[in-house]
Amino acid sequence: MANQENKKSKSKELKERLFIKRKNTAKIFTETEQKKANQFCEGYKNFLDLAKTEREAVVQAITELKKAGFSEYEAGKKYKAGNKLYTVNRSKSVIAVVIGKESLESGVNILASHIDSPRLDLKQRPLYEDSELAYFKTHYYGGIKKYQWTAVPLALHGVIIKSDLSAVNVTIGEDEADPVFVITDLLPHLAEEQYKRPASKLIKGEELNILIGSRPFKEDEGSELVKLNIMMLLNEKYGITEADLLSAELEAVPAYKARDIGFDRSFIGSYGQDDRVCAYTTLKALLDLKKIPKKTAVVVLTDKEEIGSDGNTGLKSAYLKFFLSDLAETQNVALRTLLSNSKCLSADVNVAFDPTFPDVSEKLNTAYMNYGVALTKYTGSRGKAGTSDASAEFTAEIRKLFDDNKIAWQTGELGKVDMGGSGTVAKYLANLNIDTIDVGVPVLSMHAPFEVTAKNDVYEAYRAFGVFIEK
Ligand code: MN
Ligand code: MN
């Protein structure tokens, strides 16, 4: 007996020494920590409500940056350690910087997230009337399950640039007194044929038509009187004609606000948490820097990630490189030297294990709710295609950094091998010869109109990004 007990304790001792110390429970927060995390998430929820589009996220970011003493970057100006600056790219992306003590020769620490989210964009000629009902036609943006976007209240956000080049900002559907909009779905009683469609076509792209009115223009007879009445209302409210919609960016997004989820209020439910959860936590990490960092800290909030990062506001473009080049010049440093010595956390969400759909995730490598930020060495699909795959060296550096600072973190892999896959902006930074790895918050119902995160993961992300740029 005694011998056996001995053996047991020996195996226990060996396991403790040799196995991954993966706790079987989520990180338990002390009362003080929990209070801080909850409080942090109140600010985050507010940001979610005010920043439902990339343009609005930029406006919110600028407001916060100015409040914290950041000023707009001036080309040619010399900056010194501790200086705080930001620059905006075409109202849709922001780069914010705190100049570090070391020369830019030793590189910068970059946190890169995206502020665009899946949504329904209005087409260039959206307005039509059918059977005396008025509609807007849409073209969805990013990867959505189309059926999820029917029968939910929608708000319209965006900008209309008129033919005189003046801008009209639009936000309708957020105020309690505003009307909202909706895409109708078929009643189950008549859905027999619809049910036979494959789920990806349960609602087709051309069926994502937004109901916007039904009362006709009364003073006359003729065709398209409902459309005419809507156009009159739009003209009254925004001073626009139908042609102005040709040069507009109007985005339909869920009209509801971020809410706590659960009796214990442990989750946040909201539209657009991919990836505003990382936008907010990286920005806050920069705003809350307690001392001047050794290396210059750079936070990038970018656009167009959800459709492949193309375009001049996405990270495939040269806007970040050009800015870093300008910055390097202020210290007579070669851009290639700055880039080659830089490090980046590509801050984006990852899938959280969903017990209702366990089959898509591989239990050992997926991320779990409440286990902290997910450190993802590679994304991609079909044999790691389309990922920058962080090096063992850089992965070790980040895991040590998180361990040394008691950050709750875990691994994350988006689904089983060959189950699907995805990418982030990581590769566009890595392609600039920057050491890059993905770090982000696990999400349930990703890309749905109401995504779920765990408050404690949001807070750990904020802490993780903080220790990375404090270095
Ligand atoms: Mn994302
Ligand atoms: Mn996404």
Side-chain angles (χ1 to χ4, degrees), residues 114 116 274-275 305-306 347-349 423-424 446-447:
H114 67 93
D116 61 318
D274 172 8
D275 184 31
E305 193 278 341
E306 292 296 356
D348 205 344
V349 299
T424 64
M446 195 194 294
H447 284 207

Side-chain angles (χ1 to χ4, degrees), residues 30-41:
T30 64
E31 214 169 293
T32 328
E33 280 176 321
Q34 194 59 71
K35 228 185 205 167
K36 272 194 201 167
N38 291 348
Q39 211 167 17
F40 181 85
C41 287

Side-chain angles (χ1 to χ4, degrees), residues 9-22:
S9 64
K10 179 81 181 161
S11 70
K12 204 178 157 201
E13 182 261 320
L14 280 169
K15 279 180 183 168
E16 266 168 24
R17 194 153 61 82
L18 299 174
F19 281 9
I20 285 185
K21 285 167 198 64
R22 184 176 172 78

Side-chain angles (χ1 to χ4, degrees), residues 103-124:
S103 156
L104 290 168
E105 218 166 44
S106 62
V108 299
N109 286 328
I110 303 172
L111 295 169
S113 68
H114 67 93
I115 47 177
D116 61 318
S117 293
R119 61 185 189 241
L120 306 174
D121 285 346
L122 294 201
K123 290 192 184 190
Q124 270 195 287

